[in-house]
Every structure is written in structure tokens, then in C-alpha cells.
Amino acid sequence: LEGRYFDAEGTPTHEHKYVEETYAAATASEDTKKNLQKRFKSCNSRHKQNEEFFEIWCDDGWHGKGTVPVHIYYKPRQSGMKEGSWCGCVVRRERPTLDAE
């Protein structure tokens, strides 16, 4: 086992610790993103091939009554983690809370 991740006695090296911490951060980041996507379901959209514009909307039955489409931007706090975004449906009164998060 001796090498990059373990020394001669089988003790994890600093490199091993770094890999474990990076994995834990990536897992936490992915869990946070999944929770956000559950909380703010993706918008509905429709596009016709010959038309320049497309329609985006939130359905009261699926997304919740009074929800509106917003662009949700996700930037993990851990360096090196991938940023992301999607159109999500948010209740208007929750918008200030979402902006603060």
C-alpha cells in the first residue's frame, strides 16, 4: 500500500486526506444542489421550431399556487466545484429569501 496515499506503515498521507476532504465537499455540494432542485422545481417550457421565442411558465397544480419562473444560479462554496443554473418556480413572497441564500 505504500505510495502516494499511504506510508510504509499504512497510515494515510496528507494527499489521502486532501482527496477525502475534496470528495466530502463534492458530495455535500451535490446534495445541496439536489435539495435546491427539489425545493424549486424546474419551469415548464415550450418552443416552436420556426419561432424565435419560447414560452416559460409555472403550473399552479405542479409547482404550487402563485409560483413564478426565476433564474436560479448555483455557485458552490468549495473551490473547483462546478457552477450551475436552471429555471425554477418560486412563490413570489419567497423571492427575497431566495436572493439572500
Side-chain angles (χ1 to χ4, degrees), residues 1 3-7 10-23:
L1 289 176
R4 185 175 193 171
Y5 301 109
F6 297 96
D7 64 15
T11 305
T13 64
H14 291 291
E15 186 74 22
H16 180 271
K17 183 179 178 184
Y18 174 76
V19 169
E20 290 291 321
E21 288 172 353
T22 302
Y23 176 76

Side-chain angles (χ1 to χ4, degrees), residues 40-45 56-58 63 68-70 86-89:
F40 306 110
K41 296 177 185 174
S42 294
C43 306
N44 294 326
S45 64
I56 297 174
W57 75 97
C58 297
H63 297 101
V68 295
V70 296
W86 69 93
C87 178
C89 294

Side-chain angles (χ1 to χ4, degrees), residues 22-79:
T22 302
Y23 176 76
T27 301
S29 178
E30 191 60 33
D31 289 346
T32 300
K33 183 177 179 181
K34 284 179 184 177
N35 288 334
L36 285 171
Q37 287 174 326
K38 248 189 225 178
R39 184 174 161 198
F40 306 110
K41 296 177 185 174
S42 294
C43 306
N44 294 326
S45 64
R46 177 178 25 237
H47 177 263
K48 293 181 183 173
Q49 187 174 1
N50 296 329
E51 292 185 12
E52 193 173 318
F53 299 99
F54 61 95
E55 181 182 9
I56 297 174
W57 75 97
C58 297
D59 183 81
D60 284 349
W62 172 250
H63 297 101
K65 191 166 178 105
T67 56
V68 295
V70 296
H71 182 87
I72 298 173
Y73 177 72
Y74 174 77
K75 183 177 180 182
R77 293 182 181 160
Q78 299 83 6
S79 64

